[in-house]
Amino acid sequence: MAAAQTEHPDSSNVPERLIAHLDMDAFYASVELLRYPELKGQPVVIGGRRAHEPRTLPDGRRKYARLRDYIGRGVITTSTYAARDLGVFSGMGLMKAALRAPDAILLPTDFDSYRHYSRLFKAAVAELAPVIEDRGIDEIYIDLSDIPGVREAVGHDPLGGVKALAREIKNNVQRATGLTCSIGITPNKLLSKIASELDKPDGLTVLTRDDIAGRIWPLAVRKINGIGPKAGAKLAGLGIETVGHLAATDPALLIQHFGRSYGIWLHESAHGRDARPVVTHSEPVSISRETTFERDLHAQRDRAELSDIFTRLCEQLAADLQRKGYVGRTIGIKLRFEGFRTVTRDHTMDIPTQDFATIRRAAGECLKRVDLSQRLRLLGVRMGSLSRSATPDQPLHGGTRKTRAERSANAPPAPENLPLF
DNA sequence: TCTGGGGTCCTAGGACCC
DNA sequence: TCTGGGGTCCTAGGACCC
């Protein structure tokens, strides 16, 4: 291979990368505070699906819903720092949260608004640092390595250049959105993700390799992105609580308990090693729609209702595919039963589609392969094996109409009997 | 008072082909 | 007749993340 082309990023005379992780502070809640500034400082929780919009009283004051008034299956999406002080966090069921903070204010989620501010903050960052990896609505990675001046010392501070750039980025985000963010900057994504959390909210943390032992090793293993509830509990069972402890553990032991690939990853992560690049573009792998019911539904007794929901999910999925310009070959369904047991079934077709009727029929066939004697709490439909449709955003006349031959080659035969549900 | 909705990636077994 | 690997695709489930 041509030597000039094969410089390895880990090669010793290549300088360390400078990777930033930027995380918006309590993003959804902060966007809501822009709209309702009088709530600043109060415990506020965002979440739930039922209508609990604030009402404006005749005298102009606003009346907000309280957590204690909520009945249903929602969870907290975000809470303000004042609410977190009361022990309510994202992911927590609203009914459970109401026990801890009954007087906290409850607002409904407004994704259109969050998406708007998401675009604003990302554009504000891109003006100063264009190499951005999207990690969802409220966070990004940024590769700062090649930005002029970033490696220059300022006064006696060898990291002065990066810090100055980071402050500029924070200011630009603040100017564009009125919102604060926290930034971590280190040689890689793994460490930066951890670092951005160390000084929240409105924080800035710059770490080098030399800081790993002092700043990273004292942290709980769960702070590592990729160690979740299961792995965390398993590590605790082995007496491994901190990252430093994990780093000191014989990799052979980790491999023995977690398998080769995850075991090695645990060891590397604990030592702060991560060569993943900042990825500026990616294509979706799947698109899905799902819904949890307010009460568990029974396949026979609630057949009509379930059938309507199932059809609506398929319609929404087809519309999403058409709007985003994708076709897919693998249709999948997801069912969650009372007791939270989850089952999936999928079917791969020869010809990709974005057509509602084809999706509905294939999903119906998948449904026939599931035992429906237990009551259901969730139903979902997914399309995988995606490719771009021929004409994105502009489906051929009236959607993707297919010839009869194509259809029969593609979808399972239409059911003779009534569809399940 | 348990546990939303939208995703990604990994594993593991079986089918099928060379 | 029996015995092989390797590679790819498909399916189901599960861990994890925002």
Side-chain angles (χ1 to χ4, degrees):
Chain A
M1 293 291 115
Q5 302 283 319
T6 53
E7 273 186 313
H8 194 272
D10 287 343
S11 126
S12 56
N13 40 10
V14 174
E16 291 249 63
R17 295 180 297 162
L18 284 167
I19 307 297
H21 180 258
L22 183 155
D23 197 292
M24 297 299 290
D25 298 322
F27 185 54
Y28 298 178
S30 303
V31 171
E32 296 295 343
L33 291 184
L34 293 175
R35 195 176 357 198
Y36 306 121
E38 75 253 37
L39 295 181
K40 205 161 290 176
Q42 295 199 52
V44 178
V45 156
I46 320 291
R49 285 178 303 168
R50 302 209 347 248
H52 38 263
E53 299 284 350
R55 291 183 295 122
T56 304
L57 302 174
D59 63 5
R61 286 182 307 134
R62 290 202 191 86
K63 176 123 173 70
Y64 298 97
R66 302 279 164 170
L67 208 40
R68 77 157 86 77
D69 301 324
Y70 188 83
I71 296 172
R73 283 187 156 155
V75 299
I76 294 178
T77 308
T78 323
S79 44
T80 58
Y81 292 97
R84 294 178 200 188
D85 288 343
L86 299 173
V88 299
F89 303 97
S90 51
M92 183 180 284
L94 285 170
M95 301 287 272
K96 182 178 174 185
L99 293 179
R100 297 196 183 187
D103 297 320
I105 285 161
L106 174 64
L107 295 173
T109 46
D110 175 6
F111 277 100
D112 289 340
S113 188
Y114 311 147
R115 269 190 291 269
H116 170 71
Y117 282 94
S118 182
R119 280 189 292 270
L120 288 183
F121 98 75
K122 287 169 189 172
V125 174
E127 287 175 7
L128 296 165
V131 183
I132 293 173
E133 175 174 334
D134 224 300
R135 293 303 299 182
I137 202 159
D138 70 340
E139 61 182 80
I140 52 177
Y141 290 106
I142 320 163
D143 193 334
L144 307 177
S145 307
D146 296 330
I147 294 186
V150 76
R151 296 181 194 275
E152 281 166 23
V154 173
H156 294 297
D157 187 356
L159 297 171
V162 224
K163 288 179 185 168
L165 174 59
R167 280 188 217 103
E168 269 191 82
I169 290 174
K170 281 163 65 79
N171 286 340
N172 228 31
V173 168
Q174 164 84 50
R175 265 197 302 275
T177 63
L179 301 171
T180 63
C181 62
S182 297
I183 297 182
I185 301 177
T186 80
N188 62 53
K189 295 205 285 190
L190 177 98
L191 291 172
S192 297
K193 170 79 177 164
I194 298 173
S196 68
E197 261 197 81
L198 291 178
D199 186 26
K200 248 180 177 310
D202 200 14
L204 171 57
T205 303
V206 184
L207 301 182
T208 69
R209 302 231 156 263
D210 296 339
D211 297 311
I212 292 175
R215 303 294 302 277
I216 303 295
W217 283 357
L219 303 173
V221 290
R222 286 292 312 276
K223 296 292 177 188
I224 291 177
N225 192 251
I227 301 182
K230 300 285 179 176
K234 205 164 154 183
L235 285 167
L238 296 168
I240 300 166
E241 307 277 356
T242 67
V243 180
H245 206 157
L246 185 60
T249 303
D250 183 356
L253 183 90
L254 297 174
I255 290 169
Q256 181 194 327
H257 285 93
F258 295 92
R260 174 141 202 98
S261 131
Y262 195 68
I264 289 171
W265 177 84
L266 284 172
H267 182 254
E268 290 296 297
S269 298
H271 285 274
R273 293 192 281 261
D274 171 24
R276 291 171 303 163
V278 169
V279 177
T280 53
H281 180 78
S282 64
E283 282 292 310
V285 171
S286 67
I287 294 175
S288 67
R289 285 282 187 152
E290 66 182 55
T291 188
T292 296
F293 318 133
E294 276 306 326
R295 61 178 182 93
D296 296 343
L297 298 177
H298 193 274
Q300 272 104 61
R301 257 199 317 288
D302 303 302
R303 203 181 73 92
E305 193 176 347
L306 278 165
S307 175
D308 285 352
I309 293 167
F310 195 50
T311 299
R312 183 156 35 80
L313 289 169
C314 291
E315 282 169 355
Q316 290 170 336
L317 178 58
D320 291 345
L321 287 163
Q322 289 162 26
R323 180 167 38 81
K324 296 177 177 174
Y326 290 94
V327 290
R329 287 172 55 231
T330 305
I331 184 80
I333 61 165
K334 170 171 160 184
L335 294 86
R336 180 123 71 207
F337 296 97
E338 52 187 343
F340 227 66
R341 183 176 60 101
T342 304
V343 160
T344 62
R345 292 291 179 270
D346 56 44
H347 173 72
T348 299
M349 303 171 287
D350 293 332
I351 299 168
T353 189
Q354 60 181 186
D355 172 64
F356 158 69
T358 309
I359 291 170
R360 177 66 179 83
R361 206 169 330 118
E365 287 298 316
C366 289
L367 200 54
K368 288 183 177 173
R369 296 191 267 139
V370 183
D371 175 2
L372 294 172
S373 45
Q374 263 193 313
R375 281 192 303 189
L376 288 162
R377 67 175 284 141
L378 171 147
L379 201 51
V381 185
R382 176 176 42 85
M383 186 66 90
S385 315
L386 298 181
S387 45
R388 294 224 84 112
S389 57
T391 49
D393 297 318
Q394 189 89 67
L396 323 161
H397 314 275
T400 42
R401 221 165 251 142
K402 297 192 180 310
T403 65
R404 193 116 83 101
E406 274 177 326
R407 240 183 240 275
S408 56
N410 203 7
E416 302 292 308
N417 48 343
L418 279 171
L420 291 131
F421 290 171

